[in-house]
Amino acid sequence: MAEDPYEVGRGGSRAFWADSVADTVEAREPDDPIVIKGGVSPSGVPHIGHFNEIMRGYYVAEALRDRGHEVRQVFTADDKDRLRAVPRQLADLDWNVVGLGEVDAGALGRNLGKPYTDIPDPFGCCDSYGAHFTTLLRKSAELVSVDVEFVSNTELYADGEFEPVTRRVLERADRARDVLAEYQNKVDDDYVPFLPQCEECGKLTEGVTAVDLDAGEVEYVCEDVEAGDQTIEGCGHEGTASLRDGKLPWRFEWPAQWEILGVDFEPFGKDHAEGSWPSGEDVAENVLDIQPPVPMVYEWFTLDGEPLSSSSGNVITVDEVLDILEPEVFKYFFVKDPRKQRDFSVENVDQLVEEFDQFERRYFGEADGSEDEMELAERAYPMVVAEPREEGVRIPYTFAAVLGMTDDPALREQIARKEGHIPDDAPEWAIEGALARVERAQEWASLTNNEFNYELKRSEIPDVSFDDATAAALDELAEFIAEGHDGEAIQAEIYETAKRNDIDIGEFFSAGYQLLFDDTEGPQLGTFIAKLDREFVVERFRRNE
């Protein structure tokens, strides 16, 4: 039997889980190239949960390459699967997510039950529905510079790659039924592990009536198929299909992929770990007579606390993530232990960036950490950043959001230098890279409408005037700020200054917002002020510029 998927990557003294997995793969003494596989059915908008499988495979591939192995990372598009339901959202090749009202949703509904590659692309740009969403998956990998070979199941069937293993499954149909009956109640004596495609309506059907292996054909009746809580109606046609004109059911198709592609390692989500993996392992060993690959289960992601789901529309794509994060920060997210459920919080993405910056500093010896933290940085950082360069500069993410309140690039650099976030000797490429974070942080502020989503009136003071008491209070607050206090102290002093000068606290906050934003509201003022360069704030509150 194969290893326990819940234990692979967990044991040993390795700080990086991918090294522990590589140990397990090497222990089998596989021939090169070592094949690492992932896969997904291209049923709708690919999100970061789908990308989980690509990245888990990527890190194990890199760990094995570090040890001198040739590695082939493949990702199967299970695109001969049937369309079981119409998704709520779709995305064009520019990652614009649209509702069904913006495409021909009726055409999708009329194609329920057909393979994804036999359904027209709703956007009319690719060869099929399946090709469209596989292209988006491929583009996701390209966006973070992960080299993955995509393989189409439809093409494998058409080229005859599945035919020998399909024939073997059908030759051993009794054994296949006995194995599958342990996992599915609907398996009876008439069950045939093959889904022919109806030559009349194009739908995949389960109505096999006879098998002729000498001719390499099956006879069928196009019957109704249950798909979740709905029924996909068959057309009733009686016909004959070759072993290439159909597909294996998933619980046989997955082990067949292992044989065809020579898979040595495959990570998968806990849904498969508790369902398809046990049956796949059984089918591999007792129907196909092959060794299943080294498995590893990973936990699912949530998005701001809710499950990721293409069908419900709760998704975030890789393209959307890269609007607010550098690719290396996003890649770092997958360095974390795959066995712990992770929430990708858009609102709190600044915390992820801060973690990455600390991870980077540890690699360059600029920050301390535990022995495991230092080893993790040493091992994983070169896999996250293709060309580690010590001269690189990172502006703190929330400070970058502050800089995003002004559109003047020169002023952004000036402020960052003044606050010590860009060293005097920083090379031009490092400065450019550091300031590139500003646009992403600005997008984050806009997306979440957080405390940084304001336009700081930096170049000139807003045309506002105050009564004598408020003007005196602003001067007092400016003196306090000039002394170099932190945000919490400044926030407390705002209240005290208003009290001393007998000013309504709401009106005093409003005065500060007017000076900074030409608005009457804004973020928590004291905390925000502490993030700005002190000289600017002092002069602004003195109304000198």
Side-chain angles (χ1 to χ4, degrees):
M1 293 183 66
E3 296 78 1
D4 183 344
Y6 286 96
E7 292 301 319
V8 171
R10 185 188 297 274
S13 59
R14 304 286 193 175
F16 188 23
W17 59 267
D19 281 324
S20 184
V21 174
D23 289 342
T24 305
V25 174
E26 276 194 321
R28 289 195 179 186
E29 300 181 352
D31 295 329
D32 284 353
I34 295 174
V35 177
I36 291 174
K37 191 186 92 65
V40 71
S41 180
S43 57
V45 181
H47 52 67
I48 64 171
H50 299 128
F51 204 60
N52 198 355
E53 196 153 320
I54 291 177
M55 291 307 301
R56 300 306 181 188
Y58 164 76
Y59 284 118
V60 175
E62 289 298 288
L64 289 164
R65 289 180 181 121
D66 282 350
R67 304 180 188 195
H69 292 285
E70 180 185 352
V71 181
R72 180 187 177 205
Q73 185 178 358
V74 300
F75 197 82
T76 54
D78 299 334
D79 50 15
K80 199 156 184 174
D81 291 358
R82 62 165 68 98
L83 177 66
R84 299 169 60 88
V86 178
R88 295 186 184 182
Q89 294 180 324
L90 299 170
D92 64 23
L93 292 187
D94 292 322
W95 296 101
N96 298 306
V97 177
V98 302
L100 294 182
E102 299 178 61
V103 298
D104 187 358
L108 291 178
R110 290 190 296 273
N111 283 288
L112 289 176
K114 295 181 182 179
Y116 295 117
T117 42
D118 284 346
I119 299 171
D121 179 5
F123 297 94
C125 56
C126 295
D127 291 340
S128 67
Y129 181 101
H132 183 96
F133 291 103
T134 299
T135 298
L136 282 177
L137 274 166
R138 184 183 292 109
K139 291 178 73 172
S140 296
E142 292 170 353
L143 285 171
V144 294
S145 302
V146 172
D147 186 18
V148 182
E149 177 187 346
F150 280 79
V151 177
S152 163
N153 263 4
T154 297
E155 293 179 5
L156 290 177
Y157 277 106
D159 293 342
E161 296 292 332
F162 270 100
E163 190 166 353
V165 68
T166 300
R167 180 180 293 275
R168 195 153 77 254
V169 169
L170 292 176
E171 286 173 345
R172 302 172 179 182
D174 289 342
R175 192 188 308 180
R177 277 192 288 269
D178 290 343
V179 168
L180 193 59
E182 297 292 324
Y183 307 95
Q184 289 188 336
N185 294 328
K186 70 175 187 178
V187 177
D188 57 26
D189 291 342
D190 296 324
Y191 174 80
V192 178
F194 187 72
L195 305 175
Q197 185 172 7
C198 177
E199 60 188 348
E200 187 71 21
C201 69
K203 296 176 183 177
L204 293 166
T205 183
E206 298 170 3
V208 177
T209 56
V211 177
D212 184 347
L213 287 178
D214 291 334
E217 295 175 342
V218 299
E219 296 178 12
Y220 65 88
V221 176
C222 186
E223 299 177 339
D224 294 351
V225 174
E226 300 301 320
D229 57 358
Q230 67 175 328
T231 300
I232 299 174
E233 293 184 358
C235 70
H237 175 73
E238 298 182 18
T240 302
S242 76
L243 300 186
R244 299 189 187 191
D245 297 326
K247 69 184 293 292
L248 290 166
W250 165 245
R251 289 178 185 262
F252 293 94
E253 185 175 76
W254 195 20
Q257 290 175 343
W258 299 337
E259 177 174 347
I260 293 166
L261 298 171
V263 180
D264 295 295
F265 167 69
E266 180 159 6
F268 44 81
K270 65 178 183 180
D271 54 338
H272 285 329
E274 296 164 7
S276 303
W277 168 255
S279 65
E281 182 181 22
D282 205 343
V283 167
E285 294 175 342
N286 297 305
V287 179
L288 301 183
D289 295 328
I290 64 169
Q291 182 182 37
V294 172
M296 185 190 78
V297 63
Y298 57 77
E299 271 283 355
W300 293 332
F301 292 150
T302 54
L303 175 61
D304 288 318
E306 297 295 326
L308 282 158
S309 171
S310 296
S311 59
S312 69
N314 187 47
V315 300
I316 185 169
T317 67
V318 173
D319 181 74
E320 288 174 319
V321 169
L322 297 184
D323 283 339
I324 59 176
L325 290 179
E326 294 106 328
E328 56 267 33
V329 178
F330 184 48
K331 288 172 77 172
Y332 164 74
F333 184 67
F334 298 92
V335 167
K336 296 164 177 274
D337 187 347
R339 282 170 277 313
K340 293 183 179 179
Q341 188 175 75
R342 304 284 175 191
D343 182 55
F344 188 88
S345 171
V346 176
E347 182 177 350
N348 299 316
V349 81
D350 56 311
Q351 296 174 18
L352 176 63
V353 180
E354 187 177 333
E355 277 186 42
F356 168 79
D357 289 352
Q358 183 78 346
F359 169 73
E360 184 172 61
R361 287 193 293 270
R362 288 189 183 120
Y363 177 77
F364 289 113
E366 298 169 359
D368 293 330
S370 68
E371 185 177 338
D372 279 351
E373 288 171 335
M374 299 302 285
E375 182 184 336
L376 177 63
E378 180 182 352
R379 285 292 301 125
Y381 183 79
M383 303 178 192
V384 172
V385 178
E387 296 182 32
R389 294 196 278 185
E390 195 167 1
E391 301 88 351
V393 177
R394 301 286 184 186
I395 296 174
Y397 193 74
T398 52
F399 187 78
V402 172
L403 295 181
M405 294 180 177
T406 175
D407 291 332
D408 186 341
L411 185 56
R412 290 175 178 177
E413 182 178 342
Q414 176 188 337
I415 297 168
R417 284 186 180 277
K418 195 169 186 179
E419 291 300 300
H421 295 304
I422 296 180
D424 292 339
D425 60 350
E428 193 60 37
W429 63 263
I431 298 169
E432 183 179 333
L435 292 172
R437 177 173 280 184
V438 175
E439 299 297 331
R440 289 184 164 95
Q442 185 181 32
E443 178 66 23
W444 167 66
S446 174
L447 186 64
T448 59
N449 194 26
N450 64 20
E451 61 183 304
F452 304 104
N453 191 30
Y454 294 90
E455 181 187 354
L456 183 63
K457 304 299 182 181
R458 183 91 195 194
S459 58
E460 59 182 28
I461 189 169
D463 184 16
V464 293
S465 59
F466 306 103
D467 59 37
D468 291 344
T470 303
L474 288 168
D475 288 336
E476 287 181 27
L477 183 59
E479 291 299 321
F480 184 84
I481 294 168
E483 294 171 2
H485 298 282
D486 64 17
E488 186 176 337
I490 295 172
Q491 183 74 4
E493 182 61 20
I494 293 172
Y495 284 90
E496 294 301 318
T497 303
K499 288 179 184 177
R500 286 195 304 270
N501 289 275
D502 197 24
I503 301 171
D504 178 81
I505 185 60
E507 292 181 2
F508 192 44
F509 273 109
S510 178
Y513 295 136
Q514 289 178 69
L515 286 171
L516 295 172
F517 308 120
D518 196 15
D519 202 343
T520 56
E521 59 182 25
Q524 186 180 62
L525 193 57
T527 305
F528 175 75
I529 285 171
K531 296 180 185 297
L532 299 174
D533 55 298
R534 192 186 314 158
E535 183 179 334
F536 161 73
V537 177
V538 170
E539 292 303 305
R540 179 57 57 89
F541 275 58
R542 287 172 175 165
R543 287 90 63 212
N544 289 339
E545 59 173 79

PDB file of all heavy atoms in Angstrom, residues 28 43 53 69 158 168 178 219 314 320 353 400 470-471 485 509:
ATOM      1  N   ARG A  28      11.600   5.712  -2.609  1.00  0.00           N
ATOM      2  CA  ARG A  28      11.113   4.700  -3.555  1.00  0.00           C
ATOM      3  C   ARG A  28      12.114   4.449  -4.691  1.00  0.00           C
ATOM      4  O   ARG A  28      11.883   3.586  -5.530  1.00  0.00           O
ATOM      5  CB  ARG A  28       9.785   5.145  -4.159  1.00  0.00           C
ATOM      6  CG  ARG A  28       8.605   5.108  -3.197  1.00  0.00           C
ATOM      7  CD  ARG A  28       7.322   5.207  -3.988  1.00  0.00           C
ATOM      8  NE  ARG A  28       6.134   5.147  -3.168  1.00  0.00           N
ATOM      9  CZ  ARG A  28       4.903   5.108  -3.659  1.00  0.00           C
ATOM     10  NH1 ARG A  28       4.724   5.115  -4.985  1.00  0.00           N
ATOM     11  NH2 ARG A  28       3.859   5.055  -2.867  1.00  0.00           N
ATOM     12  N   SER A  43     -14.115  23.381 -14.819  1.00  0.00           N
ATOM     13  CA  SER A  43     -15.561  23.570 -14.795  1.00  0.00           C
ATOM     14  C   SER A  43     -15.987  25.021 -14.690  1.00  0.00           C
ATOM     15  O   SER A  43     -17.160  25.329 -14.877  1.00  0.00           O
ATOM     16  CB  SER A  43     -16.153  22.783 -13.624  1.00  0.00           C
ATOM     17  OG  SER A  43     -15.559  23.190 -12.403  1.00  0.00           O
ATOM     18  N   GLU A  53      -2.900  23.171  -5.727  1.00  0.00           N
ATOM     19  CA  GLU A  53      -2.334  21.896  -6.182  1.00  0.00           C
ATOM     20  C   GLU A  53      -1.099  22.114  -7.057  1.00  0.00           C
ATOM     21  O   GLU A  53      -0.129  21.349  -6.993  1.00  0.00           O
ATOM     22  CB  GLU A  53      -3.401  21.123  -6.948  1.00  0.00           C
ATOM     23  CG  GLU A  53      -3.079  19.663  -7.144  1.00  0.00           C
ATOM     24  CD  GLU A  53      -4.336  18.829  -7.288  1.00  0.00           C
ATOM     25  OE1 GLU A  53      -5.313  19.081  -6.566  1.00  0.00           O
ATOM     26  OE2 GLU A  53      -4.334  17.923  -8.121  1.00  0.00           O
ATOM     27  N   HIS A  69      17.797  15.738  -9.402  1.00  0.00           N
ATOM     28  CA  HIS A  69      16.867  14.938 -10.197  1.00  0.00           C
ATOM     29  C   HIS A  69      16.289  15.748 -11.360  1.00  0.00           C
ATOM     30  O   HIS A  69      16.089  16.960 -11.267  1.00  0.00           O
ATOM     31  CB  HIS A  69      15.706  14.449  -9.329  1.00  0.00           C
ATOM     32  CG  HIS A  69      16.097  13.452  -8.295  1.00  0.00           C
ATOM     33  ND1 HIS A  69      16.386  12.138  -8.596  1.00  0.00           N
ATOM     34  CD2 HIS A  69      16.251  13.574  -6.947  1.00  0.00           C
ATOM     35  CE1 HIS A  69      16.689  11.488  -7.487  1.00  0.00           C
ATOM     36  NE2 HIS A  69      16.627  12.333  -6.468  1.00  0.00           N
ATOM     37  N   ALA A 158      -8.285  10.713 -27.256  1.00  0.00           N
ATOM     38  CA  ALA A 158      -8.310  10.742 -28.725  1.00  0.00           C
ATOM     39  C   ALA A 158      -7.071  10.095 -29.327  1.00  0.00           C
ATOM     40  O   ALA A 158      -7.138   9.455 -30.386  1.00  0.00           O
ATOM     41  CB  ALA A 158      -8.444  12.186 -29.209  1.00  0.00           C
ATOM     42  N   ARG A 168      -8.024  -2.989 -20.130  1.00  0.00           N
ATOM     43  CA  ARG A 168      -7.686  -3.831 -18.984  1.00  0.00           C
ATOM     44  C   ARG A 168      -8.753  -3.729 -17.890  1.00  0.00           C
ATOM     45  O   ARG A 168      -9.097  -4.729 -17.250  1.00  0.00           O
ATOM     46  CB  ARG A 168      -6.310  -3.443 -18.431  1.00  0.00           C
ATOM     47  CG  ARG A 168      -5.739  -4.482 -17.482  1.00  0.00           C
ATOM     48  CD  ARG A 168      -4.225  -4.461 -17.445  1.00  0.00           C
ATOM     49  NE  ARG A 168      -3.681  -3.369 -16.653  1.00  0.00           N
ATOM     50  CZ  ARG A 168      -3.103  -2.280 -17.166  1.00  0.00           C
ATOM     51  NH1 ARG A 168      -3.003  -2.134 -18.478  1.00  0.00           N
ATOM     52  NH2 ARG A 168      -2.618  -1.345 -16.379  1.00  0.00           N
ATOM     53  N   ASP A 178     -16.122  -5.345  -7.828  1.00  0.00           N
ATOM     54  CA  ASP A 178     -15.917  -5.740  -6.430  1.00  0.00           C
ATOM     55  C   ASP A 178     -15.173  -4.647  -5.659  1.00  0.00           C
ATOM     56  O   ASP A 178     -15.510  -4.346  -4.509  1.00  0.00           O
ATOM     57  CB  ASP A 178     -15.146  -7.054  -6.356  1.00  0.00           C
ATOM     58  CG  ASP A 178     -15.961  -8.252  -6.827  1.00  0.00           C
ATOM     59  OD1 ASP A 178     -17.197  -8.121  -6.903  1.00  0.00           O
ATOM     60  OD2 ASP A 178     -15.355  -9.299  -7.139  1.00  0.00           O
ATOM     61  N   GLU A 219     -21.807  -1.315 -26.563  1.00  0.00           N
ATOM     62  CA  GLU A 219     -23.138  -0.898 -26.989  1.00  0.00           C
ATOM     63  C   GLU A 219     -23.800  -0.177 -25.820  1.00  0.00           C
ATOM     64  O   GLU A 219     -23.549  -0.500 -24.651  1.00  0.00           O
ATOM     65  CB  GLU A 219     -23.954  -2.112 -27.418  1.00  0.00           C
ATOM     66  CG  GLU A 219     -23.397  -2.820 -28.641  1.00  0.00           C
ATOM     67  CD  GLU A 219     -24.210  -4.053 -29.024  1.00  0.00           C
ATOM     68  OE1 GLU A 219     -25.330  -4.216 -28.466  1.00  0.00           O
ATOM     69  OE2 GLU A 219     -23.732  -4.847 -29.846  1.00  0.00           O
ATOM     70  N   ASN A 314     -17.864  32.529  -4.873  1.00  0.00           N
ATOM     71  CA  ASN A 314     -16.940  33.078  -3.872  1.00  0.00           C
ATOM     72  C   ASN A 314     -15.513  32.696  -4.260  1.00  0.00           C
ATOM     73  O   ASN A 314     -14.971  31.689  -3.809  1.00  0.00           O
ATOM     74  CB  ASN A 314     -17.262  32.540  -2.474  1.00  0.00           C
ATOM     75  CG  ASN A 314     -16.433  33.222  -1.395  1.00  0.00           C
ATOM     76  OD1 ASN A 314     -16.319  34.446  -1.367  1.00  0.00           O
ATOM     77  ND2 ASN A 314     -15.846  32.447  -0.510  1.00  0.00           N
ATOM     78  N   GLU A 320      -6.296  38.515  -9.802  1.00  0.00           N
ATOM     79  CA  GLU A 320      -6.786  39.490  -8.824  1.00  0.00           C
ATOM     80  C   GLU A 320      -5.834  39.602  -7.640  1.00  0.00           C
ATOM     81  O   GLU A 320      -5.600  40.702  -7.121  1.00  0.00           O
ATOM     82  CB  GLU A 320      -8.180  39.082  -8.349  1.00  0.00           C
ATOM     83  CG  GLU A 320      -9.265  39.274  -9.391  1.00  0.00           C
ATOM     84  CD  GLU A 320     -10.599  38.718  -8.941  1.00  0.00           C
ATOM     85  OE1 GLU A 320     -10.629  37.619  -8.338  1.00  0.00           O
ATOM     86  OE2 GLU A 320     -11.618  39.372  -9.210  1.00  0.00           O
ATOM     87  N   VAL A 353       2.070  40.181   3.849  1.00  0.00           N
ATOM     88  CA  VAL A 353       3.242  40.865   3.305  1.00  0.00           C
ATOM     89  C   VAL A 353       4.293  41.063   4.389  1.00  0.00           C
ATOM     90  O   VAL A 353       5.495  40.872   4.157  1.00  0.00           O
ATOM     91  CB  VAL A 353       2.851  42.220   2.690  1.00  0.00           C
ATOM     92  CG1 VAL A 353       4.083  42.923   2.120  1.00  0.00           C
ATOM     93  CG2 VAL A 353       1.809  42.037   1.598  1.00  0.00           C
ATOM     94  N   ALA A 400       3.494  51.779   2.123  1.00  0.00           N
ATOM     95  CA  ALA A 400       3.289  51.886   0.680  1.00  0.00           C
ATOM     96  C   ALA A 400       1.868  52.351   0.377  1.00  0.00           C
ATOM     97  O   ALA A 400       1.633  53.120  -0.564  1.00  0.00           O
ATOM     98  CB  ALA A 400       3.562  50.545   0.010  1.00  0.00           C
ATOM     99  N   THR A 470      -9.738  76.421  17.585  1.00  0.00           N
ATOM    100  CA  THR A 470      -9.292  75.264  16.812  1.00  0.00           C
ATOM    101  C   THR A 470      -7.888  75.475  16.272  1.00  0.00           C
ATOM    102  O   THR A 470      -7.053  74.548  16.285  1.00  0.00           O
ATOM    103  CB  THR A 470     -10.273  74.986  15.656  1.00  0.00           C
ATOM    104  OG1 THR A 470     -11.589  74.786  16.181  1.00  0.00           O
ATOM    105  CG2 THR A 470      -9.854  73.761  14.864  1.00  0.00           C
ATOM    106  N   ALA A 471      -7.591  76.700  15.823  1.00  0.00           N
ATOM    107  CA  ALA A 471      -6.250  76.995  15.304  1.00  0.00           C
ATOM    108  C   ALA A 471      -5.196  76.813  16.396  1.00  0.00           C
ATOM    109  O   ALA A 471      -4.124  76.238  16.162  1.00  0.00           O
ATOM    110  CB  ALA A 471      -6.212  78.417  14.749  1.00  0.00           C
ATOM    111  N   HIS A 485       6.198  61.201  18.916  1.00  0.00           N
ATOM    112  CA  HIS A 485       5.403  60.180  19.592  1.00  0.00           C
ATOM    113  C   HIS A 485       4.817  59.172  18.594  1.00  0.00           C
ATOM    114  O   HIS A 485       4.682  59.466  17.401  1.00  0.00           O
ATOM    115  CB  HIS A 485       4.264  60.850  20.382  1.00  0.00           C
ATOM    116  CG  HIS A 485       4.747  61.769  21.465  1.00  0.00           C
ATOM    117  ND1 HIS A 485       5.211  61.315  22.671  1.00  0.00           N
ATOM    118  CD2 HIS A 485       4.868  63.132  21.488  1.00  0.00           C
ATOM    119  CE1 HIS A 485       5.586  62.344  23.421  1.00  0.00           C
ATOM    120  NE2 HIS A 485       5.385  63.459  22.716  1.00  0.00           N
ATOM    121  N   PHE A 509     -11.354  66.329  15.142  1.00  0.00           N
ATOM    122  CA  PHE A 509     -10.947  65.301  14.178  1.00  0.00           C
ATOM    123  C   PHE A 509     -11.224  65.789  12.753  1.00  0.00           C
ATOM    124  O   PHE A 509     -10.399  65.614  11.848  1.00  0.00           O
ATOM    125  CB  PHE A 509     -11.699  63.990  14.435  1.00  0.00           C
ATOM    126  CG  PHE A 509     -11.040  63.089  15.441  1.00  0.00           C
ATOM    127  CD1 PHE A 509     -11.599  62.897  16.700  1.00  0.00           C
ATOM    128  CD2 PHE A 509      -9.857  62.436  15.130  1.00  0.00           C
ATOM    129  CE1 PHE A 509     -10.980  62.067  17.621  1.00  0.00           C
ATOM    130  CE2 PHE A 509      -9.233  61.598  16.046  1.00  0.00           C
ATOM    131  CZ  PHE A 509      -9.796  61.418  17.296  1.00  0.00           C
TER     132      PHE A 509
END
